[in-house]
């Protein structure tokens, strides 16, 4: 496929063609001919052609000098080539008829990093006066090129493969689409037309010009596809006013995601920015991945086109097949990318977040397998915050802290829940203080940040970080081939930072996906790394050689205690609105975290049966109500095990340092 790459890319270095003159001249030395010899003429013609002195090259021919110079000059443009190199073997100049035939080799650089297109050609020389002239014929450029013909490049693009759900059903649907293009020979001022089109569409102007110059002149050449949306109609109207540009009537094309837009991704024109990202073999006119999986797996989904160099006569009637001079067939077949998404669950997740009026995201996983069955985002402006969001988890991280305490066998009896507590100089605020003392489970249900922060003295920082890693949080490589945020739980530098970490603030950051996996670990008793794609052959630029994370079983007695905390929170705590009427038991925790100078994020982290999920909303809402909306009146798959008993509650909490700005940050 190396040679084919050259045909795919427009070149910025046509004028930079170089000549190994010494090598060429050495092959044209005296060869035993009696004077006058045809060698000087052959040598001078080929050197002049190669160094782009087309007028000088034409002077060595019998043809009209201006026409010959134009024909030679057009070759790089017609092929969108970087350079033309020529060589001759002295043994290939032989007597023929009234003169000599000189055979030579043409080597055309058709692209960056591509093998050159190499083929033999020849010219005939005859005596004119006291010297030799080359009898001009277009076949000198290529043996099959006839009078009135020009070179052109044709690309046949295979049908794009689909991004699929877990059942192999497409996640794209058909939408009205406007196709924009030109008929090259109809352009009166191609440079002006294409410059105007590039300015509006953000296509790479030089590549666009190269694509049009190298295309068959009589055929419609697609240069962009735009979904026929209200936002695009003004742009399409502007494009339609450019002289020579054709906007075809809208037609339905399968180019839009029908769900999970930020994850599945969108398709769009091959703009300059996107071409830099995906590189060869794509060019203006191609529809390529613009975001998400469509961009990340562009090569797998789209494969590569079959490329042909043809000889066409611009005066031939439209539709006449040109003469094919060379073909580079695609050696790849477009392959689908199958995700683990389940469409009905995905739609329920999107419905739960719809209409919030603020940025929100949600990830849903199966605890039994780690399969990510829904990735929903609302108002995120294209960002996939369900997988990549970075938020302080607040008291939902208390599940991790509680696991660390339970694992150490701490005797967690009745404890106070004051309005404030100072730990290591860090002041912790609790908006819901309780009088007297309550059991640990009761305080946890009341989202008692001050209780949990004071218990930080029972753990060292290294232990907290280690226990968080059991839930996949931190720098652990999940072995994924798509972008995700696995969480950040850095080692606390002092007692104050450790107290903040215990309540999921300070420098602790998580994503909805990472917290959904925490909930899944509590349900299943084992943390499992997420599975986002089910295609075994999928490759990605994000592929690493690091061994991926492995499932990690938690201690059964600890799991039972954590399940009890989560159920309590739904029965009588801040997460009580998560339980839909007459449904299987829901387990979860809810929290709202203030951070970063007035920002806040509301969480629900929980599970029902074999579905674990986490919701993060940038703003103050009761995220438990969104959980109930998600679970709704739909049947949710249940785990094989029996329901787990227990009760509990979580809530909101804030922090402020003693005498300084809060270190709670958001990235």
């Amino acid at each position: 496929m190396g040679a084919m790459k050259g045909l795919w890319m427009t070149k910025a270095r046509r004028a930079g063609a170089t000549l190994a003159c010494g090598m060429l001249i050495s092959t044209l030395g005296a060869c035993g001919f009696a004077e006058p010899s045809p060698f000087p003429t052959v040598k001078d013609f080929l050197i002049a052609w190669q160094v782009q002195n087309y007028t000088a090259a034409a002077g060595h021919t019998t043809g009209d000098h201006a026409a010959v110079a134009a024909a030679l000059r057009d070759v790089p443009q017609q092929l969108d080539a970087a350079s033309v190199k020529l060589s001759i073997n002295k043994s290939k100049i032989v007597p023929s008829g009234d003169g000599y035939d000189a055979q030579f080799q043409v080597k055309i650089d058709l692209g960056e990093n591509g093998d050159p297109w190499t083929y033999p050609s020849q010219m005939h020389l005859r005596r004119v006066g006291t010297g030799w002239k080359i009898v001009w014929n277009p076949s000198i450029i290529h043996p099959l090129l006839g009078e009135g013909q020009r070179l052109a490049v044709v690309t046949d693009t295979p049908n794009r493969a689909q991004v699929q759900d877990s059942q192999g059903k497409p996640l794209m649907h058909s939408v009205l689409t406007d196709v924009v293009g030109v008929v090259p020979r109809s352009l009166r001022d191609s440079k002006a037309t294409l410059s105007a089109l590039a300015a509006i569409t953000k296509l790479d102007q030089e590549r666009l010009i190269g694509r049009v110059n190298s295309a068959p002149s009589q055929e419609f050449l697609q240069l962009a596809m735009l979904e026929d949306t209200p936002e695009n109609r003004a742009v399409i109207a502007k494009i339609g006013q450019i002289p020579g540009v054709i906007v075809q009537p809208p037609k339905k094309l399968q180019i839009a995601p029908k769900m999970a837009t930020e994850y599945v991704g969108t398709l769009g024109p091959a703009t300059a920015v996107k071409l830099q990202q995906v590189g060869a073999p794509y060019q203006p006119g191609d529809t390529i991945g613009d975001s998400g999986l469509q961009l990340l797996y562009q090569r797998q989904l789209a494969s590569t086109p079959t490329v042909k160099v043809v000889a066409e006569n611009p005066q031939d009637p439209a539709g006449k097949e040109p003469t094919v001079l060379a073909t580079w067939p695609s050696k790849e077949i477009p392959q689908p990318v199958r995700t683990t998404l389940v469409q009905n669950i995905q739609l329920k997740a999107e419905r739960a977040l719809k209409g919030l009026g603020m940025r929100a995201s949600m990830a849903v996983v199966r605890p039994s397998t780690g399969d990510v069955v829904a990735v929903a985002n609302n108002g995120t402006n294209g960002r996939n915050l369900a997988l990549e969001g970075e938020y302080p988890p607040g008291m939902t991280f208390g599940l991790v802290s509680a696991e660390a305490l339970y694992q150490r066998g701490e005797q967690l009896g009745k404890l106070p829940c004051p309005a404030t507590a100072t730990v290591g100089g860090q002041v912790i605020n609790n908006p819901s203080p309780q009088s007297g003392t309550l059991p640990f489970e009761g305080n946890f249900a009341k989202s008692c940040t001050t209780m949990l922060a004071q218990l930080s003295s029972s753990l060292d920082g290294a232990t907290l970080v280690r226990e968080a890693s059991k839930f996949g949080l931190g720098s652990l490589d999940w072995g994924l081939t798509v972008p995700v945020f696995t969480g950040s739980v850095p080692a606390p530098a002092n007692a104050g930072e450790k107290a903040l970490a215990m309540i999921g603030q300070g420098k602790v950051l998580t994503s909805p996906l990472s917290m959904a996996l925490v909930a899944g670990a509590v349900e299943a008793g084992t943390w499992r790394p997420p599975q986002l794609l089910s295609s075994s052959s999928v490759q990605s630029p994000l592929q690493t050689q690091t061994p991926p994370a492995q499932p990690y079983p938690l201690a059964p007695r600890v799991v039972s205690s954590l399940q009890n905390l989560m159920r309590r929170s739904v029965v009588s705590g801040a997460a009580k609105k998560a339980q839909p009427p007459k449904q299987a038991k829901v387990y979860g925790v809810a929290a709202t975290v203030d951070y970063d100078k007035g920002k806040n994020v509301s969480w629900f982290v929980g599970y029902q049966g074999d579905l674990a999920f986490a919701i993060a909303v940038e703003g103050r809402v009761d995220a438990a109500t969104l959980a109930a909306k998600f679970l709704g009146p739909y049947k949710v798959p249940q785990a094989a095990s029996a329901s787990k008993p227990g009760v509990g509650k979580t809530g909101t909490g804030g922090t402020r340092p003693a005498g300084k700005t809060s270190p709670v940050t958001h990235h």
Side-chain angles (χ1 to χ4, degrees):
M1 299 297 292
M4 186 159 57
K5 292 181 180 177
L7 297 174
W8 293 326
M9 303 291 286
T10 304
K11 306 303 166 299
R13 60 180 194 276
R14 296 189 187 95
T18 59
L19 170 65
C21 294
M23 180 183 70
L24 181 59
I25 292 172
S26 68
T27 65
L28 295 169
C31 303
F33 281 91
E35 291 296 338
S37 168
F39 282 106
T41 300
V42 173
K43 175 192 69 176
D44 292 344
F45 171 75
L46 294 178
I47 290 176
W49 182 4
Q50 182 166 298
V51 300
Q52 302 177 17
N53 189 347
Y54 303 116
T55 301
H60 295 291
T61 73
T62 61
D64 177 84
H65 291 180
V68 173
L72 297 175
R73 184 181 298 109
D74 287 345
V75 170
Q77 294 183 9
Q78 292 169 356
L79 295 175
D80 194 18
S83 66
V84 177
K85 296 184 179 182
L86 309 146
S87 62
I88 186 169
N89 187 307
K90 61 186 178 182
S91 64
K92 297 300 182 181
I93 299 180
V94 296
S96 176
D98 61 350
Y100 287 90
D101 285 339
Q103 297 181 2
F104 63 100
Q105 188 176 62
V106 182
K107 186 178 290 187
I108 301 178
D109 181 359
L110 291 165
E112 298 172 7
N113 303 318
D115 295 332
W117 177 32
T118 303
Y119 60 87
S121 190
Q122 71 176 28
M123 63 186 97
H124 182 71
L125 296 94
R126 73 178 181 211
R127 287 288 297 271
V128 176
T130 60
W132 295 91
K133 289 286 186 180
I134 296 164
V135 180
W136 175 250
N137 191 295
S139 64
I140 293 173
I141 295 173
H142 190 282
L144 298 181
L145 192 66
E147 287 290 344
Q149 291 185 319
R150 66 181 289 271
L151 300 172
V153 178
V154 176
T155 58
D156 295 328
T157 304
N159 292 329
R160 188 181 185 91
Q162 289 281 354
V163 177
Q164 303 172 336
D165 69 5
S166 60
Q167 300 301 309
K169 297 178 181 179
L171 289 170
M172 305 292 284
H173 66 141
S174 297
V175 294
L176 281 177
T177 307
D178 293 275
V179 177
V180 175
V182 298
V183 176
R185 76 173 182 182
S186 299
L187 298 178
R188 294 184 178 180
D189 187 343
S190 62
K191 186 174 182 180
T193 294
L194 300 176
S195 296
L197 181 61
I200 295 174
T201 61
K202 308 304 180 185
L203 296 172
D204 185 290
Q205 180 175 322
E206 185 182 356
R207 290 182 173 184
L208 188 61
I209 292 172
R211 176 80 190 273
V212 173
N213 287 342
S214 64
S217 60
Q218 302 180 81
E219 301 175 9
F220 175 80
L221 177 64
Q222 176 182 307
L223 295 177
M225 286 198 309
L226 297 170
E227 185 179 346
D228 190 32
T229 62
E231 296 80 7
N232 283 341
R233 282 171 195 154
V235 175
I236 294 167
K238 288 182 180 179
I239 291 174
Q241 295 173 1
I242 302 174
V245 173
I246 300 169
V247 180
Q248 295 182 338
K251 54 185 175 183
K252 283 200 169 184
L253 297 174
Q254 199 172 40
I255 66 168
K258 58 183 177 181
M259 61 184 69
T261 299
E262 294 79 7
Y263 176 48
V264 173
T266 56
L267 298 173
T271 62
V273 172
K274 288 299 180 287
L275 283 172
Q276 287 179 354
Q277 289 181 260
V278 302
Y282 310 103
Q283 56 185 333
D286 292 335
T287 295
I288 64 175
D290 191 60
S291 64
L293 296 176
Q294 294 285 7
L295 174 60
L296 190 61
Y297 291 98
Q298 165 65 24
R299 187 64 175 261
Q300 175 173 325
L301 291 164
S303 180
T304 54
T306 292
V307 180
K308 302 175 184 176
V309 176
V310 301
E312 66 141 7
N313 189 330
Q315 303 307 315
D316 284 342
K320 182 177 180 180
E321 290 295 325
T323 301
V324 178
L325 307 182
T327 302
W328 291 265
S330 175
K331 295 181 180 179
E332 302 169 4
I333 299 174
Q335 297 290 332
V337 172
R338 181 177 290 192
T339 70
T340 54
L341 298 183
V342 177
Q343 290 200 31
N344 70 316
I345 299 176
Q346 176 67 36
L347 291 173
K348 287 167 59 181
E350 292 182 3
R351 188 182 298 116
L353 304 184
K354 188 175 181 180
L356 273 176
M358 57 189 76
R359 298 208 300 185
S361 50
M362 180 178 184
V364 187
V365 304
R366 290 201 186 281
S368 59
T369 62
D371 286 354
V372 179
V373 295
V375 176
N377 295 275
N378 176 75
T380 61
N381 196 30
R383 296 183 61 194
N384 191 4
L385 296 179
L387 303 186
E388 302 177 62
E390 302 181 18
Y391 301 107
M395 279 295 286
T396 64
F397 186 80
L399 292 169
V400 177
S401 301
E403 188 276 342
L405 292 169
Y406 287 137
Q407 182 66 32
R408 286 178 61 89
E410 294 292 331
Q411 297 301 312
L412 303 175
K414 289 188 174 183
L415 298 165
C417 181
T420 63
T422 301
V423 182
Q426 178 70 51
V427 177
I428 308 295
N429 292 320
N430 178 16
S432 303
Q434 305 298 315
S435 59
T437 60
L438 289 174
F440 174 80
E441 293 80 3
N443 277 327
F444 192 96
K446 301 296 183 181
S447 192
C448 186
T449 54
T450 49
M451 174 204 70
L452 199 57
Q454 290 181 100
L455 285 172
S456 64
S457 60
S458 301
L459 300 172
D460 58 74
T463 297
L464 184 60
V465 172
R466 184 183 67 247
E467 296 306 305
S469 71
K470 292 181 180 179
F471 291 91
L473 298 174
S475 59
L476 191 65
D477 184 357
W478 290 353
L480 299 179
T481 58
V482 298
V484 297
F485 178 58
T486 62
S488 176
V489 187
N494 51 53
E497 285 192 7
K498 185 171 59 171
L500 287 173
M502 286 284 285
I503 59 173
Q505 298 190 32
K507 296 179 180 180
V508 176
L509 296 171
T510 59
S511 63
L513 175 59
S514 63
M515 291 308 297
L517 294 170
V518 170
V522 175
E523 192 283 330
T526 297
W527 180 86
R528 289 183 172 85
Q531 304 297 320
L532 285 154
L533 301 175
S534 58
S535 300
S536 59
S537 61
V538 161
Q539 294 295 316
S540 162
L542 301 181
Q543 194 85 49
T544 68
Q545 300 302 315
T546 305
Q550 299 299 313
Y552 193 97
L554 305 176
R557 63 177 178 80
V558 172
V559 170
S560 178
S561 296
L562 295 176
Q563 291 170 349
N564 181 56
L565 289 180
M566 295 181 77
R567 183 59 186 156
R568 272 199 170 201
S569 183
V570 173
V571 170
S572 59
K576 62 185 176 182
K577 291 184 180 179
Q579 178 69 61
K582 300 179 181 180
Q583 276 210 14
K585 292 179 180 179
V586 178
Y587 297 73
V589 291
T592 296
V593 191
D594 298 323
Y595 69 102
D596 198 16
K597 299 179 181 179
K599 292 183 179 180
N600 38 64
V601 57
S602 299
W603 285 91
F604 178 87
V605 175
Y607 64 87
Q608 184 190 61
D610 197 25
L611 286 184
F613 55 98
I615 302 170
V617 182
E618 294 185 20
R620 285 188 170 275
V621 298
D622 188 343
T625 62
L626 301 178
K629 185 178 178 182
F630 164 65
L631 296 172
Y634 302 93
K635 185 178 180 181
V636 177
Q638 296 298 302
S641 59
S643 299
K644 291 93 178 174
V647 282
K649 175 182 178 180
T650 61
T652 62
T655 65
R656 64 175 177 84
K660 58 183 178 181
T661 304
S662 172
V664 179
T665 58
H666 174 64
H667 296 268

